[in-house]
Amino acid sequence: MRKQIVAGNWKMNLNQVESLQLIEALKSTKNTSRAEVLVAPNFTALAASVEALKGTNIGVAAQNMHQAECGAFTGEISAQMLLGVGVNSVILGHSERREYFSEYGELLSAKVDAALNHNMQVIFCFGELLDDRESDQHFDVVTEQLTESLFHLPAAAWKNIVLAYEPVWAIGTGMTASPEQAQDMHAFVRKTVADHYDNAVANNCPILYGGSVKPANASLIFSKPDVDGGLIGGAALSADDFTAIINAI
Ligand code: 13P
């Protein structure tokens, strides 16, 4: 059976002290799910978060990384640096990285390669803009995003890939995709992966949904057969809401 995952992307919120407070609150709420749970604090809080979550069933992911091993890239963080503080999962291709930092296809493909070379788990985000959906281009846009950054990988590399469909129009807007819209896209993505590789690769790959997931809509979205969990933004900043979403799986 494929993995189910609920990951909280804290984005540029919470300093180290606040991150540790949220972690303590998460540790004291009851998460009864079989799903893998991850939180993604900002870089400065990663090491302390790993330490604080030792012995729990909550893991830590980074929100981005650079593709080079090391060198003159002022302000950047490498895979080795993440591994050095005990972080072996990384979110890549988030729409905010695409939109505000011009991280697209080829660059993302290099980042994916770097993370996989270090045996890290990659949570690869993709999704269409509202215009794309309204002009019925959403399946084409998503196919292109996957093709540009992931379809050069050998089949074996997919054991460390988690996909996260995040329609840009649903992120932080309160306008979540309907469970049917999510299911349609996830089924399409799974078929696209199967066509490029095979059914085994496609059926083993978790596909998360992200975009205004809240306690009130999580269980309906997660009930869809091709939705294997969620990537949660705003609601992950509340221990009660995040735990309710985890327990909705
Ligand atoms: P929201 O849950 O705040 O819409 O954010 C989703 C997201 O971008 C997770 O990566």
Side-chain angles (χ1 to χ4, degrees), residues 7 9 11 91 94-96 125 166 170-174 210-214 231-236:
N9 176 9
K11 308 190 180 183
I91 298 170
H94 193 281
S95 70
E96 289 146 18
C125 305
E166 298 205 306
I171 295 178
T173 59
S212 297
V213 178
K214 307 287 175 207
L231 184 54
I232 320 301

Side-chain angles (χ1 to χ4, degrees), residues 1-247:
M1 206 182 134
R2 25 177 206 267
K3 252 199 305 202
Q4 292 179 311
I5 300 174
V6 179
N9 176 9
W10 294 356
K11 308 190 180 183
M12 200 174 74
N13 295 297
L14 311 181
N15 62 26
Q16 180 179 291
V17 170
E18 293 160 341
S19 298
L20 293 177
Q21 284 165 350
L22 178 53
I23 284 172
E24 286 316 308
L26 282 174
K27 280 159 71 172
S28 63
T29 55
K30 197 153 174 51
N31 131 28
T32 53
S33 169
R34 284 181 301 110
E36 180 176 324
V37 179
L38 290 163
V39 292
N42 77 78
F43 287 128
T44 67
L46 286 177
S49 299
V50 169
E51 203 51 40
L53 286 166
K54 274 200 177 128
T56 72
N57 62 356
I58 303 177
V60 178
Q63 297 176 18
N64 193 23
M65 58 168 250
H66 195 269
Q67 65 278 16
E69 284 298 298
C70 61
F73 301 102
T74 302
E76 292 294 327
I77 303 276
S78 72
Q80 295 188 48
M81 291 168 188
L82 296 177
L83 291 168
V85 294
V87 173
N88 55 13
S89 293
V90 62
I91 298 170
L92 293 175
H94 193 281
S95 70
E96 289 146 18
R97 299 299 316 175
R98 292 175 188 265
E99 182 179 354
Y100 307 131
F101 302 95
S102 304
E103 296 191 4
Y104 294 109
E106 237 177 81
L107 172 65
L108 292 174
S109 132
K111 289 188 180 218
V112 168
D113 289 346
L116 295 180
N117 284 340
H118 285 277
N119 218 17
M120 295 176 77
Q121 169 170 269
V122 171
I123 301 173
F124 183 83
C125 305
F126 58 93
E128 80 284 359
L129 304 171
L130 188 58
D131 271 0
D132 302 325
R133 182 161 280 267
E134 286 177 347
S135 57
D136 214 17
Q137 303 284 306
H138 45 300
F139 292 120
D140 293 342
V141 166
V142 160
T143 303
E144 193 177 324
Q145 289 170 333
L146 298 175
T147 305
E148 282 176 346
S149 302
L150 296 180
F151 282 178
H152 65 290
L153 295 172
W158 277 73
K159 69 178 193 307
N160 284 336
I161 299 285
V162 173
L163 297 177
Y165 170 54
E166 298 205 306
V168 179
W169 48 272
I171 295 178
T173 59
M175 212 165 87
T176 185
S178 69
E180 292 68 30
Q181 285 173 320
Q183 169 58 25
D184 282 356
M185 180 57 86
H186 286 219
F188 171 80
V189 166
R190 205 176 299 287
K191 184 175 180 312
T192 305
V193 174
D195 289 347
H196 192 81
Y197 293 94
D198 56 33
N199 283 333
V201 170
N203 290 335
N204 284 328
C205 181
I207 309 179
L208 316 184
Y209 168 79
S212 297
V213 178
K214 307 287 175 207
N217 58 26
S219 55
L220 265 182
I221 296 175
F222 295 161
S223 70
K224 294 295 176 189
D226 287 295
V227 178
D228 305 309
L231 184 54
I232 320 301
L237 298 172
S238 148
D240 287 341
D241 286 357
F242 190 53
T243 304
I245 292 169
I246 296 165
N247 290 339

